[in-house]
Amino acid sequence: MAPDRDPLILVLNAGSSTLKHASYQGLHCMSQGTIECGEADYPSTIGKLLNDASWNAVAFRIVHGGNDLTAPVIVTDSVIETLERTIPLAPLHQPPALSAIRTVGSLLPSTPRIACFDTAFHATLPEVEQRFAIPDRYIQTGIRRYGFHGLSYESIASQLHGISERAARGKTIVCHLGNGASLCGLDRCISRYTTMGLTPIDGLIMGTRCGRIDVGVAIHWMREGMNAQQIEKILTKESGLAALSNGTSDMRALVERADEDPRCALAIEMFCRSIAKEVAAAATAIGGLDCLVFTAGIGENSDVVRRRVVARLQWLGGAIDEQANQRGETRLNTLSSSFEVLRIATDEQQIIAGHAIGLLKRSEAASL
Ligand code: ADP
């Protein structure tokens, strides 16, 4: 790495139909964007991004690290083999990410590739929260609660000390409410509880995912002749807010239409209830509630959702300052609220860039 400038990092987040990219110089974001493209287009699309600068590293957001990858790593052949074994745990997310990693490896073979995992932040979950009540022989095959959105929770945890010592040193529940939604119970900024499980289907109602549901529903459909792909499609792409409103999963549209369309009103009500109920469960699991944080697209932008969630937690002593809420300030609770309520913007890409820089420095120090 040239000693006279901060390293240049390209951050890639490969999804099933989009490739999100961001370029960083040190921790400063220079540009970012989203390209609609599938894996077949990666050689040309990623090729163009790689030509934009002389990158010190390319860093990837990877949804699942499985049991073995619990911290950011420099990608080697053995990391790729380990990641291949995680494909059955996240069949929709892992293949495009692996394909992007391979494409960069073939186009820029001597540039370090760095992988950061959404599951890694939850490696600290205690066994009582990781374990499902199923026989040991299945636990041994990796069936357990992993949790996701870890890079977002890490971003929030890294900002808490600068915002509230009570939140940073105490019990904080972070609600990541985007198209995917989950929450995380932090004790002193360490993950001790989360709502997503083996897959990102579990927990909160989401844009198009059902969230917590009786697994008997899936068994019933299998008896009726549906296969795994059909059930997965219903529960991940056709459910959630989109199913309840019979149309849209966009919270802005739901709020606009709620007065005249009872299905949109129901979708918002069920979404906010599912969040408040899980906050209570998380508070029980971590043994208290000092601070509730709202983040991601809906959490950062929807005063309606924040107000309704905190209203349902009034019995716990929560109270929101409605003016601060509507203005979208950082601190939203009233002085009399028993717990703090904060609105904090998440920045997963910056966390990934930071890990890449840290790993580059460590590998350079090791090779000196
Ligand atoms: P992703 O999980 O794809 O990263 P985001 O964190 O960008 O998602 O969140 C997307 C969600 O944020 C959408 O449901 C969208 O409706 C919602 N959203 C964005 N802006 C607003 C807003 N001003 N008011 C309400 N919801 C919003």
Side-chain angles (χ1 to χ4, degrees):
M1 202 189 315
D4 51 338
R5 66 157 168 81
D6 286 330
L8 286 169
I9 312 288
L10 175 64
V11 178
L12 295 178
N13 179 0
S16 55
S17 58
T18 60
L19 180 74
K20 292 185 183 158
H21 58 93
S23 61
Y24 277 80
Q25 178 149 27
L27 292 177
H28 180 65
C29 182
M30 315 286 284
S31 67
Q32 57 181 323
T34 301
I35 301 166
E36 301 282 331
C37 75
E39 282 174 55
D41 308 307
Y42 283 176
S44 71
T45 318
I46 293 179
K48 281 188 201 126
L49 294 169
L50 293 179
N51 283 338
D52 281 351
S54 60
W55 306 104
N56 296 96
V58 181
F60 301 84
R61 177 188 176 191
I62 312 285
V63 166
H64 221 306
N67 261 326
D68 299 320
L69 297 167
T70 57
V73 286
I74 295 182
V75 175
T76 59
D77 288 347
S78 113
V79 167
I80 290 180
E81 277 167 29
T82 309
L83 277 174
E84 273 167 351
R85 287 198 296 275
T86 64
I87 291 175
L89 298 176
L92 303 178
H93 293 97
Q94 300 300 80
L98 269 161
S99 175
I101 288 177
R102 286 208 180 86
T103 303
V104 172
S106 63
L107 294 173
L108 279 187
S110 55
T111 302
R113 293 167 294 168
I114 283 149
C116 299
F117 309 99
D118 260 317
T119 46
F121 187 70
H122 301 297
T124 49
L125 287 177
E127 189 190 3
V128 288
E129 295 298 346
Q130 281 189 11
R131 172 99 199 210
F132 295 132
I134 56 171
D136 261 350
R137 59 185 180 279
Y138 301 110
I139 305 287
Q140 278 152 19
T141 63
I143 305 293
R144 66 164 173 89
R145 182 179 304 285
Y146 288 93
F148 299 89
H149 291 142
L151 295 159
S152 172
Y153 294 128
E154 199 178 337
S155 168
I156 300 299
S158 73
Q159 298 177 62
L160 277 183
H161 279 286
I163 299 172
S164 160
E165 276 304 302
R166 182 181 172 197
R169 292 175 186 276
K171 321 266 188 188
T172 291
I173 296 173
V174 184
C175 305
H176 175 107
L177 310 176
N179 282 313
S182 70
L183 61 79
C184 178
L186 301 173
D187 190 352
R188 293 180 165 254
C189 289
I190 291 171
S191 172
R192 298 293 183 195
Y193 179 89
T194 195
T195 53
M196 284 178 166
L198 173 76
T199 72
I201 298 179
D202 201 6
L204 306 179
I205 292 174
M206 307 174 216
T208 60
R209 293 184 208 133
C210 60
R212 173 135 64 95
I213 191 170
D214 175 2
V215 293
V217 172
I219 297 167
H220 173 78
W221 283 336
M222 286 170 83
R223 286 213 183 94
E224 302 239 298
M226 280 194 212
N227 62 30
Q229 274 101 333
Q230 289 167 314
I231 296 174
E232 183 168 54
K233 183 161 175 256
I234 297 171
L235 297 180
T236 62
K237 302 249 192 293
E238 299 172 358
S239 295
L241 296 172
L244 292 168
S245 71
N246 196 26
T248 182
S249 62
D250 188 322
M251 187 51 69
R252 280 163 294 203
L254 291 172
V255 169
E256 267 166 34
R257 293 180 205 159
D259 282 342
E260 61 264 23
D261 186 342
R263 293 170 304 186
C264 295
L266 179 75
I268 298 169
E269 173 63 11
M270 285 181 64
F271 182 67
C272 295
R273 266 181 184 247
S274 99
I275 298 162
K277 288 193 293 191
E278 278 298 336
V279 169
T284 305
I286 63 174
L289 179 55
D290 290 298
C291 178
L292 184 65
V293 177
F294 289 97
T295 194
I298 300 173
E300 289 167 33
N301 295 303
S302 178
D303 55 316
V304 173
V305 168
R306 293 190 300 253
R307 175 168 62 247
R308 303 236 337 221
V309 170
V310 177
R312 196 154 276 286
L313 294 169
Q314 217 172 1
W315 67 275
L316 266 176
I320 205 161
D321 174 335
E322 196 38 44
Q323 283 184 342
N325 184 36
Q326 278 176 23
R327 283 197 297 264
E329 291 175 8
T330 301
R331 181 172 297 279
L332 305 177
N333 56 287
T334 63
L335 283 175
S336 66
S337 179
S338 64
F339 54 86
E340 297 182 353
V341 182
L342 303 176
R343 171 190 170 278
I344 304 176
T346 190
D347 193 342
E348 292 144 300
Q349 286 168 339
Q350 192 188 54
I351 291 290
I352 295 171
H355 283 309
I357 293 164
L359 277 171
L360 283 180
K361 282 195 183 136
R362 262 177 275 154
S363 79
E364 275 184 5
S367 64
L368 283 179

